[in-house]
Amino acid sequence: ALGLFTGIGLSEAKARETLRNGALTALLRRAVLQARSALGPALDKAIGTLLYNTAARLKDPKHLGFLVGYIARREILTDLQLSAALEYVRSHPLEPLDVADFERACGVGVCITPEQIEEAVEAVISKHRAELLAERYHFNMGLLMGEARNQLQWADGKTIKNEVDLQVLHLLGPKTEADLEKKPKVAKARLAPPEKQKVAVVENGDMGAETQSLLEQLRGEALKFHKPGENYKTEGYVVTPNTMALLKQHLAITGGQVRTRFPPEPNGILHIGHAKAINFNFGYAKANGGVCFLRYDDTNPEKEEEKYFTAIRDMVEWLGYQPYAVTHASDYFDQLYTWALELIRRGQAYVCHQKVEEIKGHNPPPSPWRDRPVEESLLLFEDMRKGKFGEGEATLRMKLVMEDGKMDPVAYRVKFTPHHRTGDKWCIYPTYDYTHCLCDSIEHITHSLCTKEFQARRSSYFWLCNALDVYCPVQWEYGRLNLLYTVVSKRKIIRLVETGAVRDWDDPRLFTLTALRRRGFPPEAINNFCARVGVTVAQATMEPHLLEACAREVLNEQAPRAMAVLEPLKVTITNFPAPKALEVLVPNFPADESRGFHKVPFHQTVYIEETDFREEADKGYKRLAPGQPVGLRHTGYIITVQNVIKDVSGRVIELEVTCTKSDVAEKPKAFIHWVSVPLACEVRLYERLFLHKNPEDPSEVPGGFLSDLNPDSLRVVHNALVDNSVHSARPFDKFQFERLGYFSVDPDSEQGKMVFNRTVTLKEDPGKA
C-alpha cells in the first residue's frame, strides 16, 4: 500500500499518514486500482492528486467508481471540476445520476482555448487600466485573476495567472525599485480586549442593540446546519429511494421554514440547563425566521402532574418566547400505535418477554424472541394493548443496534396507569426512542436540537423514520449547560424537598427556573448568561457567580432604588429642624434622574444598621461613632452622636444625635442609608445550598449530596425595616436596597408584612469566586 500511494505522487510521510486512516486507505486503494486498470500502472501526479482528493472528500463511497471513471478518462482535469463533481453527487443522493446534467455542472468537455483566456484577461486589465498605471505592482493582482476566472469558469488557474503576469508586464514594464518597496500598512482599528467588550443583551427573546447576541450566534450556527429540505446534505443522514419525494412533500407543507421544538418531560420543573435548550431551540428558529413548537413528552403517566405542564409553559414565556404551537406526544398516540403495527408487519419489531433486569446495561443477552413470526408478534402486541400482559411481562422492541452498542431498544411497554389526557384508553405507552423522532416527523421539524447525551440515539432516529418511510428530520447535538454547587436531577430535587432541605421546586436556593424567578433573577439575565456560555458543542460547567454577574448588569438598569435596614438601631435626632416629618426626594436611578424620584418621610426618629455604628472607631472605620459624624443619604443632613443608650445587658439600643445641614458642616467620611416611618418586613438572605462544587461527586463528597448541605444557606431576618416607597409592590417586583443588594418581593408577602428575597449582593463576594 505504501508503494501504491507513493506511486501516485504522495510523499512517503503523506502516504504513511494516509495509512493510519483505515477508511481513507480503503477508498484510495480502490480509486488507484481502478485508475490503473484504465491508464496503466504509471499514473502522473496530477491524476494522483485528483484521486487522493476524491477519496478524502467524498462523503458517500458509492459514487467513488463513478468519479474515478471521469478522472481516468481525463474528463475531470482540475480541482475546480472535482469540487463541482463532489458537490453535485452530495446534492443528488439518489441513483441513477443524470449524466448529462452532471457533466454540465462539472464542465466536462468544456474546452477553453488560449485565445479565450487572452481575450478575457485583456478585457479585465483594460477595465482596471487606470488603477494599474497609478498603483503599478502594488495593485491587487488577485482581483484580476478572480474576474478573469469568473468569465471562464473551467479555465486552468495557472494558465490564467501566467497570462495575467504576461499582460501586466507588457503594460507596466519590469519592476522598479519603487515597485519592490513594501506598501505601507494601514493601521487597523484595535478591538477592546475581550474581557472589556460589552456583553450581549437578549431581552425577552429579542436581539439587543449590542453585538454577539445569542440570536447573532445562532444565525452564525445556521451556516453549519442544513437548509430546510436539504437534510440529505448532512453527514450520516440515511437516504432511501423515498427520501427526495418525502422532502418535497415536507417543503410543500412548511414552505421552507425552519422548524424546531422544545420537548420537555412534564415530570419536573425546568432548571438552568433547560434555559440553554429553550434559548437554543426557540432562538435558532427566531434567528432564522422559523417557528418553535413546545411539545410535552408525556409518555410516562406515572410521573406526570398538571403543575409541571403549567410551570413549563410559564417558564418558556417568562424567558420571552412564545410557542408556535403547544403539542403533546399523547396527541399522536393513535398514529404511533398504527406505525408500531406497520413496523411489526415490515419485520422490524417484535414482542419480547425478557425482563427489564435482563436487558439493562451495554451487553445484554440477545432476545430469544427476536425472530418470532410477524403474525405472532402482531397478536401479542394486540394482547399487550388489551391488558393481557402484566407490567414487565412483554415489550415491543425494534430490530436495530444503536451507536452506543445498545441492541433492540424498547418501543412500547405495559403500564396500568391512567394518562392525564387519554385516561384509561391505553395500558401501553411508547418510549422516548420510539416517540421522539416520529413526533418530529409528524410536526415536520427541520432541526431536532438536543444535548450531546442523545448522540447515541441519532442512528435509531434516522433508522425508525426510514423503516416506516416517513419524513426524516435531522438531529443535531449541542453541549449541556451545568452549574457548580447545585444539583438539577429531578430525583435529587425531590429528595431535597422530601427531607425538608428545601421548601419546594421553587425554593430560591435551587437553580430551577421557578426558583430563580422567585429569587428575583430577571429573565434577561438568564438569557444573557446563555449568550455568554455561547452555542457550544462542548459541555459547559459554569460557576454560579457568572450568572449572578449577569443579574447585576440587568438589575442595575431595571431595579429602582429603595432603602432598607436589616438590623435596626433606633436614632433620635434631638434637634430635628421641623415639627413634623419632612419629605425627602430620592432618585429611582441615581445615574439617570430623568427616570424619576420617590418621596421618603424623614422624621426625628430614624433607624440605621447596627453595623453602621461603633462605640470606638477603629483605624479605617468611616461610619458613625462618637466624635465621628456621618451623612444621612439624600437628606442633606449630617448627624453627630451625643448620647449612647444601652439596655441592662450593655447592648446599644438607641442613639441620641444632633443634625447639621451638610452645606455648613465639614464633609463626613461616609454617608449611610436609613429609614423613617418604615414598613416592617421579612428579608431572606440566601447563600449556596451546597458546600462543595460537585456535591454529586463521591470523590468530593463521599457521604452523598444530602451530607453536603450548607447549614447557613438561608438566614431569615424577621424584623427588618424598609422605606414606605415600596408599599404597593407586588410579588416579583425588584429593588436595589441601597448598600445592601438586589431584592425581590416574595409571593409569601401578605397585607402588612412584606417578604423580600435577596437576589444578589451589590458586588461579587471575592471569597466565592
Side-chain angles (χ1 to χ4, degrees), residues 447-464:
H447 300 77
S448 183
L449 307 173
C450 58
T451 48
K452 286 290 284 184
E453 66 262 35
F454 291 101
Q455 187 166 344
R457 262 77 170 240
R458 192 196 287 191
S459 58
S460 67
Y461 187 107
F462 293 157
W463 177 89
L464 183 52

Side-chain angles (χ1 to χ4, degrees), residues 720-737:
L721 301 174
V722 63
D723 75 52
N724 60 21
S725 67
V726 305
H727 75 278
S728 60
R730 297 184 176 186
F732 306 115
D733 283 354
K734 297 162 183 59
F735 299 92
Q736 184 197 108
F737 289 168

Side-chain angles (χ1 to χ4, degrees), residues 38-51:
L39 298 172
L43 300 178
D44 62 49
K45 188 171 181 179
I47 293 284
T49 300
L50 289 170
L51 294 175

Side-chain angles (χ1 to χ4, degrees), residues 622-763:
K622 296 181 179 180
R623 284 163 283 166
L624 185 63
Q628 182 167 291
V630 296
L632 295 179
R633 290 172 70 85
H634 310 296
T635 63
Y637 283 93
I638 293 166
I639 59 172
T640 304
V641 176
Q642 301 299 323
N643 187 27
V644 179
I645 302 170
K646 302 180 181 180
D647 63 13
V648 292
S649 67
R651 178 172 169 266
V652 176
I653 57 172
E654 185 179 350
L655 302 175
E656 289 180 343
V657 303
T658 56
C659 69
T660 309
K661 292 278 284 184
S662 58
D663 55 1
V664 296
E666 186 178 335
K667 185 178 179 181
K669 291 183 178 180
F671 287 82
I672 63 174
H673 66 278
W674 53 275
V675 292
S676 184
V677 195
L679 302 174
C681 65
E682 178 181 302
V683 174
R684 298 168 181 172
L685 305 174
Y686 297 99
E687 300 292 344
R688 290 173 181 157
L689 183 59
F690 295 99
L691 297 170
H692 291 82
K693 285 188 174 185
N694 301 291
E696 298 169 277
D697 184 348
S699 63
E700 201 170 323
V701 185
F705 73 100
L706 288 176
S707 72
D708 195 47
L709 294 169
N710 177 7
D712 301 318
S713 63
L714 170 61
R715 180 166 76 90
V716 180
V717 181
H718 293 283
N719 297 305
L721 301 174
V722 63
D723 75 52
N724 60 21
S725 67
V726 305
H727 75 278
S728 60
R730 297 184 176 186
F732 306 115
D733 283 354
K734 297 162 183 59
F735 299 92
Q736 184 197 108
F737 289 168
E738 295 193 29
R739 298 177 65 223
L740 297 179
Y742 294 100
F743 292 77
S744 178
V745 181
D746 190 88
D748 285 346
S749 298
E750 298 175 351
Q751 187 70 33
K753 188 63 178 283
M754 300 184 78
V755 178
F756 290 91
N757 296 318
R758 184 173 67 190
T759 307
V760 287
T761 54
L762 289 180
K763 294 181 180 179

Side-chain angles (χ1 to χ4, degrees), residues 8 28 77 218 279 314 327 392 431 518 591 674 677 680 706 724:
I8 62 168
L28 186 55
L77 294 165
L218 291 166
N279 272 283
D314 284 349
T327 60
T431 62
R518 185 165 189 169
W674 53 275
V677 195
L706 288 176
N724 60 21

Side-chain angles (χ1 to χ4, degrees), residues 226 228 254 256-260 284-285 288-292 444 446-447:
H226 68 282
T254 67
Q257 180 184 55
V258 166
R259 287 188 169 201
T260 61
Y284 181 75
N288 294 286
V291 297
C292 183
H444 283 272
T446 57
H447 300 77

Side-chain angles (χ1 to χ4, degrees), residues 32-41 43 68-69 71-73:
V32 173
L33 293 176
Q34 181 183 336
R36 277 185 164 186
S37 69
L39 298 172
L43 300 178
V68 170
I71 295 169
R73 294 192 298 274

